[in-house]
Amino acid sequence: MIKGKTIKKAIFFLSAFLLSAALLFADDITISASVNKTSLPLNDSLIYSVTISGNISNFPEPQIKLSDFNVYGTGRSQSMSVINGKVSGSVVFNYTIVPKAIGKWTIAPASIKYKNQTYTTEPITVEVTAAQSVQRQTAPQSSNQNQQPQRAAQSQNGGKIFVESSINKKTVYENEKVVYRFSFYTNMDLASNPEYYPPDFGGFWNDGSQPKNRQTVIDGVRYNVSELETVLYPISTGDKNISPSRLRVAVRDFSMPDNVDKFIAQFFANAGQTQVKDLETKNLKIKVLPLPQEGRPNNFFGAVGEFKIKAFVDKTQVNTNDPVTLTVEVSGDANMKSVVKLDFAVENSLRKYDTIVSKATADSKVFSTILIPLTPGEKTIPQIELSFFNPKTKKYETVRTQTIKFIASGEPVQEEDVYKSGQSGAIGKDINYNKQISDIKTYAGNYIENKKFFIIFIPFILLLIGAFMFKNLTKKLQSISFKSKGAKFNQAWRFIERAEYEIEHGNIGGLYDLIYNALIEAVCAASGLKTQNLQNSQILDFLNSKEIPQSIVEKVKKVLDKLNLYKFAAVRADEKSLKEMLNGVKEIISELKQ
Amino acid sequence: MKKFLCFLSVSLIFVLYSFADDSAIFNQISNAESAFKNGDYNKTIEIYETLIQVEKINNPYFYYNLSNAYYRKGDIGFAVLNIEKAYKLSPRDKDIRNNRRYLLAMTGQTADDGLIESATALFSLNEITIIASASVILLILSLTAFLFFRRRFIKQALSLFIILSILFCSLAALKAFVVLKDRAVVLSASVLKSGPKKDNAVLFNIPSAKIVSVLSSVDDWSRISFKDNDIVIDGWIENNNIGKF
């Protein structure tokens, strides 16, 4: 057999591997809920936040129950962090909610289901007081709102919803940032989340949208406003048209016909009918001007906006032939997509590699360049310039980084030593050239995905099973028929020896079987009998037919009768009788052997 | 005898036919390389794409040369896609490793993979599958031998193959975990949307050549995710903007 230690080690190794894998992939999720205030007047709103955190990447959306509140807006923010090498993330779902009535209300626990487990928050109690009187106010009209709201739906009880769209500038330059704002005003109950159909932004580069929620008062009426700001960059000049945005919204109308008694109407106050409304904004026109030719610098590559620039290196003291990364960060209220490249030169003692964009966001862009000092001494990276067109001043402007210095020490580097494939972080100047194809061998798909591949194991598994079966069968056969005559007599003597040992130690229990086996083994050896499972009479008949001397047959018969007697009758043999019987069997074996 | 001759003739026809077939492919490769030298990258791309998609030749060097042609043409998304395909089939090839590293660095990505990727980077999935299968077969054979011959060296071999089988099967499982993950390259700068519809809100812009994980697919859209500055970003993108590998 295999050594026990080896098996234990193998099992330990496998268990440790499985355990560590299980721990590695174990999820740890927490969920909590909070509100930004626990007491508010009826006409105010609060933000209900549900935070889910854990080491998972796809956070499920929580199930919330806000039956005593109207939900006017939702938002979601997600973050990931690495603390002590462990990555964890969290997502916060914010719901802007407005109470329906005065009183103490409990926000039921929010819950999420993840991998068949349910996680819930604690309930939160909120006190709603009487509404504060609303002073007559006008809606905040910012100077950049160019369009009047288009009132699109009104219920009989005065609830209103409407949408409007606006752009922050009517006339812009090519590549200048334009913000398109879609606003949805409501003071009615929404039956479901509205469906937003954005306009056709043809002729503009769409840089994504950001949702916002706020409240406003127009003509003394408070509205919840959901806004979507889309950042656009015109990509061609001329008069542009932004088609209407559309919003499909399902609202509940609680109004009753005028002739219905107020007392009856209150019973149906919660049974509003759901109506689907399609709202649409107006067309917006925008004029896109070409960038002026006058005063255009030579190093202008199309950047439009207001930019800032800064640069730094990752180390100020290096060895020659070690890479230094120069990082240039361009930021500002501008079109970052219009910053396509940075053009700068360095001194000859520095090997400069291609500048790559290592990070790009809506308001910043980071360029990285690897420099390798070829000679020792102080190295200077000159000012890096970015020329751009500033739409505010309507002029071309230039921003510059500061001059950067670092010290290189060590031996001068031969040009051909600068780059070796696979060397510490240095990147080649170019890709390696094409390969000469001399073999058109087609690689198979993944074997592991092909069920037929596993057929190769079948013969070996069958071999193992066959070997097991053969081994067992041989063992069985060897025990009886296929043993040699001498082996059978030896086996008979071994039974006798064991029987003697048992008598000496007073163990009579299995003694009869040992004596019987010894006798039968010897009889089989002498007569060529092939099976042991025979009746006594059959054994004797067989011995008679094989010309075994009658005296031996008689002795065998006597032993078999005695064994039957002691084995099956309520007669118990003493030690002397047993020894006599054993001696009798020994005699029989000796005679049969002769 | 007649039967034998007939069999021989048929076999020869097949052999000649296959040689003719190969020589046609080599001619096409030669045309592709000439076009590459002359700067006609479109023709090079056309030939290699035909060989890969029509002739179904799944060869790392075809992907490598195709990646070079896309790179020279300035189509970085396709260049990254094809170098990733080449790397998947032949992870030890120096040129493939170098160009992959170069292209990823150029697109602001890193070729430094995680622990699992590094542990299994030396072998392709098929290579490690074969090694794991061979160790399991040797384990079965040594166990069979052990049933009949209880010799010391067989015991030692059995112990060795148990350990090797566990080791290589684990590595094969890890490699499969890495390779069989649905990954894709963004072929051209696109936008991520909040759902699998054109009408859904735009979430982010995603640059070309970005390597992303494909989480699920609905109709012509795929939900993808990628890590940016330790933040996991996910959203929906149209399938024709990504190339899976």
Side-chain angles (χ1 to χ4, degrees):
Chain A
M1 286 302 290
I2 312 161
K3 277 183 185 172
K5 274 186 181 176
T6 312
I7 294 173
K8 276 180 190 170
K9 273 182 191 170
I11 291 169
F12 173 76
F13 174 77
L14 193 63
S15 312
F17 172 75
L18 289 173
L19 184 65
S20 55
L23 285 173
L24 189 68
F25 294 107
D27 296 313
D28 184 17
I29 296 179
T30 56
I31 180 170
S32 62
S34 62
V35 286
N36 65 336
K37 44 192 153 184
T38 52
S39 175
L40 74 162
L42 182 61
N43 56 351
D44 199 1
S45 67
L46 64 90
I47 296 171
Y48 173 59
S49 304
V50 180
T51 306
I52 306 165
S53 52
N55 55 354
I56 58 172
S57 56
N58 292 318
F59 289 96
E61 190 151 343
Q63 300 290 317
I64 55 160
K65 291 166 196 161
L66 296 163
S67 52
D68 300 318
F69 298 84
N70 287 321
V71 180
Y72 283 112
T74 60
R76 170 189 166 129
S77 60
Q78 189 165 336
S79 67
M80 296 295 286
S81 61
V82 181
I83 299 164
N84 293 333
K86 194 180 177 188
V87 180
S88 64
S90 69
V91 60
V92 183
F93 293 87
N94 288 318
Y95 303 89
T96 306
I97 58 175
V98 176
K100 285 180 177 173
I102 298 165
K104 264 195 170 180
W105 306 107
T106 301
I107 301 174
S111 65
I112 53 164
K113 272 192 176 175
Y114 185 76
K115 289 188 179 172
N116 298 326
Q117 284 217 19
T118 303
Y119 302 84
T120 53
T121 64
E122 293 293 316
I124 295 173
T125 305
V126 174
E127 189 173 3
V128 181
T129 56
Q132 290 165 354
S133 60
V134 177
Q135 289 180 342
R136 193 166 177 81
Q137 295 174 28
T138 52
Q141 297 290 325
S142 61
S143 58
N144 56 19
Q145 282 178 309
N146 301 322
Q147 306 290 322
Q148 288 301 311
Q150 182 184 345
R151 282 152 209 270
Q154 182 166 357
S155 71
Q156 290 178 22
N157 62 354
K160 285 176 192 168
I161 52 171
F162 59 90
V163 292
E164 67 171 13
S165 63
S166 63
I167 45 175
N168 65 338
K169 290 163 193 168
K170 273 185 171 178
T171 305
V172 292
Y173 284 96
E174 199 181 342
N175 270 336
E176 187 183 345
K177 186 176 176 180
V178 184
V179 179
Y180 172 86
R181 183 183 290 117
F182 170 83
S183 307
F184 169 48
Y185 294 76
T186 179
N187 63 358
M188 293 171 73
D189 266 335
L190 301 183
S192 62
N193 283 331
E195 291 171 44
Y196 173 61
Y197 299 92
D200 176 14
F201 291 125
F204 294 88
W205 172 262
N206 181 346
D207 201 23
S209 305
Q210 285 290 327
K212 280 182 184 173
N213 291 304
R214 64 182 172 92
Q215 286 199 327
T216 190
V217 176
I218 300 171
D219 297 334
V221 181
R222 183 175 289 276
Y223 289 94
N224 289 291
V225 188
S226 301
E227 288 183 334
L228 201 63
E229 284 188 352
T230 307
V231 177
L232 304 170
Y233 300 104
I235 52 176
S236 57
T237 58
D239 289 328
K240 306 283 172 193
N241 184 47
I242 297 175
S243 64
S245 293
R246 288 196 302 114
L247 191 80
R248 174 163 290 179
V249 57
V251 293
R252 285 202 190 94
D253 194 341
F254 297 99
S255 58
M256 298 293 288
D258 290 340
N259 55 356
V260 174
D261 188 276
K262 278 186 182 173
F263 180 75
I264 295 167
Q266 71 183 11
F267 287 100
F268 296 95
N270 291 323
Q273 290 179 341
T274 301
Q275 290 184 349
V276 176
K277 309 273 187 190
D278 280 317
L279 310 177
E280 197 173 279
T281 64
K282 286 180 180 172
N283 267 327
L284 295 177
K285 291 198 184 311
I286 184 165
K287 190 174 187 178
V288 182
L289 302 171
L291 296 175
Q293 290 295 329
E294 194 184 330
R296 182 179 287 203
N298 289 334
N299 60 352
F300 173 75
F301 300 115
V304 177
E306 251 186 313
F307 290 93
K308 287 177 187 166
I309 191 168
K310 64 175 180 182
F312 55 90
V313 286
D314 61 340
K315 20 191 152 153
T316 51
Q317 288 207 326
V318 288
N319 290 324
T320 51
N321 206 16
D322 274 358
V324 176
T325 304
L326 168 69
T327 305
V328 182
E329 187 180 338
V330 177
S331 60
D333 182 21
N335 179 359
M336 286 301 153
K337 285 184 174 45
S338 64
V339 187
V340 287
K341 65 175 181 174
L342 292 174
D343 207 12
F344 66 99
V346 290
E347 57 187 82
N348 287 338
S349 65
L350 287 172
R351 157 74 76 179
K352 176 176 167 255
Y353 290 88
D354 287 344
T355 299
I356 59 166
V357 177
S358 52
K359 191 184 166 191
T361 63
D363 49 13
S364 74
K365 206 169 210 176
V366 178
F367 295 88
S368 296
T369 312
I370 290 172
L371 303 168
I372 292 186
L374 304 175
T375 56
E378 189 181 72
K379 306 291 164 197
T380 305
I381 301 168
Q383 290 184 326
I384 298 164
E385 293 184 344
L386 173 70
S387 291
F388 57 92
F389 180 76
N390 188 341
K392 284 185 183 168
T393 59
K394 296 181 181 172
K395 281 181 184 171
Y396 288 99
E397 294 174 9
T398 300
V399 284
R400 294 172 183 85
T401 64
Q402 72 283 23
T403 306
I404 296 172
K405 291 184 177 178
F406 66 92
I407 308 285
S409 50
E411 294 297 314
V413 181
Q414 297 300 316
E415 184 70 2
E416 61 269 23
D417 292 340
V418 173
Y419 173 69
K420 286 174 189 167
S421 184
Q423 200 183 24
S424 63
I427 299 163
K429 279 184 76 182
D430 197 1
I431 55 170
N432 288 1
Y433 194 71
N434 278 13
K435 278 180 180 290
Q436 212 163 6
I437 299 173
S438 54
D439 178 15
I440 52 169
K441 174 187 162 196
T442 290
Y443 284 54
N446 294 320
Y447 297 143
I448 210 161
E449 290 183 299
N450 189 351
K451 284 176 189 168
K452 285 178 190 167
F453 173 75
F454 295 95
I455 291 172
I456 64 164
F457 292 104
I458 292 174
F460 298 98
I461 292 167
L462 289 176
L463 177 73
L464 185 64
I465 294 169
F468 263 115
M469 289 170 69
F470 180 72
K471 185 81 183 166
N472 277 340
L473 190 67
T474 324
K475 203 175 171 185
K476 251 184 191 174
L477 292 174
Q478 271 181 351
S479 65
I480 318 167
S481 318
F482 292 91
K483 266 191 220 167
S484 67
K485 205 172 176 179
K488 283 181 182 173
F489 274 116
N490 286 342
Q491 183 64 44
W493 282 119
R494 278 200 288 275
F495 284 132
I496 293 295
E497 279 164 15
R498 268 190 66 191
E500 284 175 337
Y501 177 84
E502 298 294 344
I503 290 170
E504 275 175 28
H505 290 83
N507 299 328
I508 311 295
L511 196 65
Y512 303 123
D513 286 336
L514 285 171
I515 296 171
Y516 179 83
N517 285 341
L519 181 65
I520 294 301
E521 200 74 50
V523 165
C524 288
S527 64
L529 195 63
K530 298 282 181 193
T531 176
Q532 293 171 323
N533 302 323
L534 292 172
Q535 299 286 327
N536 288 354
S537 55
Q538 288 173 308
I539 295 168
L540 294 171
D541 288 347
F542 188 79
L543 289 176
N544 284 327
S545 68
K546 289 287 173 183
E547 296 179 3
I548 301 288
Q550 197 56 40
S551 60
I552 296 175
V553 177
E554 283 298 324
K555 282 179 186 172
V556 171
K557 185 176 180 296
K558 265 186 187 176
V559 173
L560 288 173
D561 288 346
K562 270 188 186 176
L563 279 171
N564 272 355
L565 181 71
Y566 291 135
K567 205 171 175 180
F568 301 113
V571 181
R572 207 172 154 78
D574 54 17
E575 193 180 329
K576 194 183 164 192
S577 310
L578 286 169
K579 278 186 177 172
E580 275 177 10
M581 190 162 58
L582 198 60
N583 288 333
V585 174
K586 279 160 111 177
E587 268 178 40
I588 293 168
I589 293 170
S590 300
E591 284 174 14
L592 284 171
K593 203 171 179 182
Q594 285 167 11
Chain B
M1 187 65 183
K2 273 181 187 173
K3 276 182 185 174
F4 175 74
L5 283 173
C6 179
F7 173 76
L8 196 65
S9 315
V10 171
S11 305
L12 272 173
I13 288 166
F14 271 110
V15 169
L16 289 172
Y17 179 77
S18 66
F19 271 120
D21 210 18
D22 282 0
S23 69
I25 290 170
F26 278 117
N27 272 341
Q28 291 197 60
I29 294 169
S30 170
N31 290 340
E33 290 309 304
S34 301
F36 188 87
K37 274 179 198 159
N38 296 329
D40 189 353
Y41 304 121
N42 283 331
K43 193 175 178 189
T44 310
I45 290 166
E46 189 189 314
I47 294 171
Y48 277 122
E49 287 286 20
T50 308
L51 288 171
I52 290 167
Q53 290 177 33
V54 180
E55 301 292 338
K56 307 283 179 202
I57 298 173
N58 189 33
N59 185 304
Y61 301 148
F62 281 48
Y63 291 120
Y64 173 87
N65 288 357
L66 182 59
S67 166
N68 278 8
Y70 274 120
Y71 171 75
R72 296 281 174 225
K73 194 190 159 199
D75 224 332
I76 306 299
F78 281 94
V80 172
L81 172 67
N82 284 290
I83 204 68
E84 284 295 340
K85 285 181 178 176
Y87 179 71
K88 209 169 168 180
L89 293 175
S90 187
R92 288 191 301 279
D93 187 280
K94 279 183 184 172
D95 291 322
I96 293 173
R97 285 170 78 96
N98 177 75
N99 283 12
R100 178 177 180 254
R101 198 157 152 262
Y102 180 92
L103 288 170
L104 291 182
M106 189 187 164
T107 52
Q109 301 175 90
T110 172
D112 297 331
D113 297 314
L115 190 67
I116 298 174
E117 283 89 344
S118 307
T120 56
L122 277 179
F123 301 99
S124 69
L125 178 58
N126 278 357
E127 286 169 345
I128 206 156
T129 305
I130 288 170
I131 295 170
S133 304
S135 55
V136 169
I137 287 169
L138 287 170
L139 170 66
I140 295 172
L141 289 176
S142 57
L143 189 60
T144 309
F146 185 73
L147 285 174
F148 297 100
F149 314 103
R150 311 235 160 166
R151 304 280 155 77
R152 198 176 164 193
F153 78 92
I154 295 178
K155 275 185 198 175
Q156 287 169 342
L158 184 57
S159 309
L160 176 72
F161 291 133
I162 286 173
I163 293 165
L164 288 181
S165 297
I166 292 170
L167 177 70
F168 288 123
C169 287
S170 307
L171 281 175
L174 289 174
K175 185 77 183 181
F177 173 74
V178 173
V179 171
L180 302 182
K181 244 192 313 192
D182 277 337
R183 295 206 294 170
V185 175
V186 177
L187 299 175
S188 55
S190 316
V191 287
L192 276 191
K193 297 215 167 194
S194 60
K197 271 184 177 180
K198 286 197 171 175
D199 292 349
N200 286 119
V202 173
L203 297 177
F204 304 99
N205 291 299
I206 184 165
S208 73
K210 187 86 186 164
I211 295 176
V212 297
S213 296
V214 181
L215 306 176
S216 58
S217 292
V218 172
D219 300 329
D220 294 334
W221 292 76
S222 289
R223 189 177 169 205
I224 60 166
S225 80
F226 60 95
K227 224 174 179 183
D228 184 35
N229 221 9
D230 287 334
I231 296 172
V232 178
I233 292 167
D234 72 86
W236 292 85
I237 192 168
E238 277 185 287
N239 284 344
N240 56 15
N241 288 328
I242 55 170
K244 292 181 184 174
F245 64 88

